[in-house]
């Protein structure tokens, strides 16, 4: 309950204590349910392995480092005192603390070389439990994780770079790749003139006699420019091609990669997002000339998974903060969380958040079965539809959670303003809503095994409540012959398919009160479109209790 007050106001009345000292794994019932559902016999081992991470993520120390890294923004040093190019970025010590922890917990490329059971599922759960302490530092870890499968297009480069990318050692600083104990990777796809239409890229790659290439051009968005290497797209003689660009050459000299500026962006302030210019930049070709999109698509798929996980993490943190506040705040004669209107809001937020985490972990489980055709097909269709839906639900979710805290949630010290500013990011990164909806459409039209995998997963719940929705989706898919009308309904299809998939997962792995609330509101339509409009008759009190962060 709220603190008592002394006559002099030295202990504020009716103010919740900070949400610290809890375990973001053990204290998250929804996350534990998802791990157990997807992990099977390995679930206990996965949960045990995440205890230290969860305890540290819920600590006051982690909360403070996240705040400091955003208060003290990275600083670009383009040249030294004599005017020689440096192209370096300085970060606050709190940034390095968070990176050291996250990489040490295996959130970069470690799953690709792990012998543990279900390493991608473990990482996904860890990402949800950890990244919301400060979402900016998740970006370089995500890109590093995602670079490893793309590098397999060239076994020589993969053998050379994967050990460093999979390292659990954070080794900051620009040095030759061979001299570092751990590597971080970035990605450069979009350019000023084209954005998501990467086939219009104008960066030129000229081949040399030794098999290397030289790049001339730019990249409009390249986060984490202090990373050790980047996968980029450029126009080679044979067409759009993927390249690996190191920051430092083997002899120790700097590659011709200039940081034009750091972006003044919405969202976190801790991560350095930049514009880059390539000036006679050394690059190694990855994959065949002309196969750039096909080569880098594995990196895109893995980053899309982290977009879903990152959004789920923001929602898990937001609902935890909201429930914690409402359970420790009194208003109008009683505890805020017990008020019917507030209980409806909190339960609605909890159900949305649990559905997002469930879908993210299900897709991570599919990544652990790359040789299973059904799991491959589910991952192929599930990633763009989950990216479309979960990431779009996050801004409204975080805004409503912030509103629960009222004025307290509107000040930076609460942590909610950072989460709110960050909440639209994942819907933009790795393809906006339309790009992902059209990708779903592409699967529906060209890969019928994707439709089969989706239907099988939804119908695995054995729920009659999902039947009409499945029939409606399949009828719509059967009428996609006209390209214009197909594109017009692409967003509806992506949204509806994602909701039905989430419903199936909640029916199978969550308590009945959670599944019932999701079904009646999201699937059967008894919802007014804003949070806090769940219909009567649901056990919202039990849903709120489940969403409360547990602290010993």
């Amino acid at each position: 309950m709220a603190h008592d007050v002394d006559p002099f106001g030295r202990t504020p009345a009716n103010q919740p204590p900070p949400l610290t000292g809890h375990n973001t794994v053990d204290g998250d019932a929804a996350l534990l349910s998802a791990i157990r559902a997807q992990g099977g016999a390995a679930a206990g081992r996965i949960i045990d392995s995440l205890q230290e991470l969860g305890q540290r993520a819920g600590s006051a120390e982690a909360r403070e480092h996240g705040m400091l890294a955003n208060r003290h923004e990275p600083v670009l040093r383009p040249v030294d005192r004599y005017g020689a190019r440096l192209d370096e970025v300085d970060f606050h010590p709190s940034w390095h603390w968070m990176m050291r922890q996250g990489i040490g917990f295996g959130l970069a490329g470690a799953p690709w070389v792990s012998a543990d059971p279900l390493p991608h599922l473990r990482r996904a759960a860890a990402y949800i439990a950890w990244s919301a302490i400060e979402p900016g530092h998740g970006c370089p870890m995500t890109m590093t994780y995602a670079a490893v499968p793309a590098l397999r297009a060239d076994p020589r480069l993969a053998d050379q770079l994967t050990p460093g990318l999979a390292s659990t050692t954070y080794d900051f600083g620009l040095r030759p790749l061979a001299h570092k104990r751990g590597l971080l990777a970035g990605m450069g796809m979009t350019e000023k003139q084209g954005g998501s239409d990467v086939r219009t890229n104008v960066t030129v790659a000229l081949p040399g006699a030794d098999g290397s290439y030289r790049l001339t051009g730019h990249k409009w968005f390249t986060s984490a420019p202090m990373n050790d290497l980047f996968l980029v797209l450029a126009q080679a003689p044979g067409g759009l091609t993927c390249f690996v660009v190191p920051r430092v050459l083997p002899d120790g000299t700097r590659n011709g990669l200039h940081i034009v500026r750091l972006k003044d962006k919405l969202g976190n302030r801790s991560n350095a997002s930049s514009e880059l210019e390539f000036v006679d930049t050394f690059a190694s070709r990855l994959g065949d000339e002309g196969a750039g999109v096909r080569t880098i698509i594995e990196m895109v798929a893995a980053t899309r998974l982290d977009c879903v996980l990152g959004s789920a993490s923001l929602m898990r943190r937001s609902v935890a903060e909201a429930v914690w506040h409402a359970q420790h705040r009194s208003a109008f004669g009683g505890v805020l969380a017990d008020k019917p209107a507030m209980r409806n809001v909190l339960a609605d937020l909890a159900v949305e958040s649990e559905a997002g985490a469930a879908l993210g972990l299900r897709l991570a489980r599919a990544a652990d079965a790359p040789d299973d055709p059904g799991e491959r097909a589910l991952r192929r269709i599930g990633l763009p539809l989950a990216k479309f839906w979960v990431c779009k639900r996050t801004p409204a979710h975080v805004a409503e959670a912030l509103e629960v805290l009222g004025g307290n949630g509107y000040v930076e010290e609460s942590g909610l303003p950072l989460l709110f500013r960050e909440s639209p990011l994942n819907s933009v990164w790795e393809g906006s809503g339309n790009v992902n909806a059209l990708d779903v459409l592409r699967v529906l039209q060209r890969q019928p095994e994707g439709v089969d995998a989706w239907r099988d997963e939804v119908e695995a719940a054995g729920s009659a409540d999902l039947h009409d929705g499945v029939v409606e989706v399949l009828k719509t898919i059967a009428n996609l012959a006209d390209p214009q009308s197909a594109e017009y309904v692409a967003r509806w299809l992506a949204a509806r398919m994602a909701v039905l998939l989430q419903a199936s997962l909640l029916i199978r792995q969550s308590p009945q009160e959670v599944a019932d609330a999701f079904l009646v509101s999201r699937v059967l339509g008894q919802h007014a479109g804003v949070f806090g409009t769940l219909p009567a008759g649901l056990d919202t009190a039990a849903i709120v209790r489940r969403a409360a962060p547990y602290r010993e």
Side-chain angles (χ1 to χ4, degrees), residues 6 18 24 29 44 151 234 280 325-326 468 487 523:
D6 68 26
T24 62
L151 286 170
D280 194 33
H325 176 89
D468 289 347
E487 185 171 321
V523 176

Side-chain angles (χ1 to χ4, degrees), residues 100-423:
R100 195 159 50 246
Q101 307 304 313
I103 291 173
F105 286 128
L107 297 187
W112 301 106
V113 300
S114 175
D116 292 337
L118 306 179
H120 296 279
L121 175 63
R122 180 198 177 278
R123 177 188 177 273
Y127 200 96
I128 290 175
W130 176 263
S131 65
I133 67 164
E134 197 295 302
H137 81 292
C139 178
M141 293 190 295
T142 286
M143 293 189 295
T144 301
Y145 168 73
V148 175
L151 286 170
R152 292 172 180 170
D154 187 322
R156 180 187 61 83
L157 285 173
D159 289 345
Q160 175 188 345
L161 299 174
T162 296
L165 298 171
S167 171
T168 54
T169 299
Y170 175 57
D171 189 5
F172 182 78
L174 299 182
R175 298 186 298 282
L177 302 181
H179 296 175
K180 301 201 69 177
R181 295 171 296 155
L183 301 177
L184 294 173
M187 176 169 56
M189 294 177 65
T190 60
E191 298 185 358
K192 301 170 189 175
Q193 72 289 334
S196 296
D197 189 4
V198 296
R199 296 189 186 279
T200 65
N201 282 5
V202 297
T203 296
V204 174
L206 298 179
D210 61 353
S212 68
Y213 288 73
R214 297 287 173 164
L215 308 186
T216 301
H218 73 278
K219 291 298 167 187
W220 187 232
F221 264 104
T222 306
S223 288
M226 285 296 286
N227 283 4
D228 301 292
L229 59 105
F230 298 88
L231 271 62
V232 305
L233 296 178
Q235 299 287 356
L240 191 66
T241 304
C242 187
F243 295 92
V244 176
V245 176
R247 281 288 261 122
V248 179
L249 300 178
D251 64 1
T253 59
R254 301 288 177 89
N255 205 356
L257 193 155
H258 296 170
I259 304 174
V260 178
R261 61 169 174 165
L262 302 185
K263 296 284 193 179
D264 186 10
K265 62 185 187 300
L266 178 69
N268 73 81
R269 316 297 293 184
S270 63
N271 185 30
S273 296
S274 67
E275 294 173 32
L276 298 183
E277 293 286 348
F278 298 132
V279 183
D280 194 33
T281 306
F282 172 88
S284 299
R285 177 166 54 84
L286 181 63
D288 296 332
E289 283 196 5
V293 173
R294 187 168 70 247
T295 301
I296 209 170
I297 200 66
E298 277 299 320
M299 188 174 190
V300 172
T303 51
R304 282 181 175 175
L305 174 59
D306 272 16
C307 287
V308 178
L309 300 174
S311 290
S313 182
L314 292 175
M315 288 195 284
R316 294 308 298 156
R317 165 81 185 275
S318 296
V319 76
E321 294 280 357
V323 172
W324 180 261
H325 176 89
Q327 288 182 328
H328 293 80
R329 179 86 160 176
S330 295
F332 307 109
V335 176
L336 193 56
D338 293 338
K339 301 298 181 181
M342 179 57 74
R343 193 169 66 241
N344 196 325
V345 169
L346 296 174
D348 212 353
L349 290 172
V351 166
E352 187 73 40
S353 174
E354 184 155 350
L359 183 51
L361 263 63
R362 176 63 184 92
L363 294 173
R365 174 65 181 85
D368 277 312
D371 299 325
D372 184 314
E375 292 293 287
R376 260 201 327 269
L378 180 64
R379 180 173 178 262
R380 175 65 185 92
I381 194 170
L383 282 174
L385 67 84
K387 164 78 163 66
F388 174 86
W389 182 246
V390 175
C391 299
K392 281 202 172 300
R393 297 294 289 166
T394 305
H397 184 282
V398 178
E400 195 70 57
L402 183 154
E403 191 172 326
V404 170
L405 276 67
N408 287 340
Y410 207 68
V411 297
E412 292 291 339
E413 288 172 316
S414 72
L416 270 295
L418 170 60
L419 303 186
F420 179 62
R421 290 194 303 272
E422 189 75 7
S423 62

Side-chain angles (χ1 to χ4, degrees), residues 462-537:
S463 172
D465 290 321
L466 302 182
H467 175 74
D468 289 347
V470 172
V471 170
E472 184 183 22
V473 166
L474 295 178
K475 283 183 177 179
T476 304
I477 293 171
N479 294 316
L480 294 178
D482 175 60
Q484 292 295 322
S485 59
E487 185 171 321
Y488 192 80
V489 301
R491 289 168 73 100
W492 178 88
L493 268 172
R496 192 61 175 162
M497 293 175 73
V499 166
L500 291 168
L501 187 52
Q502 288 179 319
S504 176
L505 291 167
L506 294 184
I507 290 169
R508 286 178 278 160
Q509 70 188 47
S510 298
Q512 184 175 347
E513 60 267 17
V514 174
D516 286 349
F518 191 89
L519 276 170
V520 73
S521 57
R522 274 71 169 173
V523 176
L524 302 179
Q526 297 182 42
H527 202 261
V530 295
F531 289 104
T533 56
L534 293 173

Side-chain angles (χ1 to χ4, degrees), residues 19-28 31-32 35 46-63 97 101-102 104-107 122-133 313 317 320 549-552:
L19 177 52
T20 58
H22 64 298
N23 188 311
T24 62
V25 177
D26 265 0
D28 188 336
L31 182 62
L32 291 175
I35 296 171
I46 291 171
I47 292 169
D48 288 345
S49 75
L50 297 177
Q51 291 306 303
E52 183 182 356
L53 176 148
Q55 201 63 47
R56 197 162 300 171
S59 67
E61 180 184 26
R63 192 180 185 103
W97 183 90
Q101 307 304 313
F105 286 128
L107 297 187
R122 180 198 177 278
R123 177 188 177 273
Y127 200 96
I128 290 175
W130 176 263
S131 65
I133 67 164
S313 182
R317 165 81 185 275
Y550 172 72
R551 188 171 80 171
E552 292 182 351

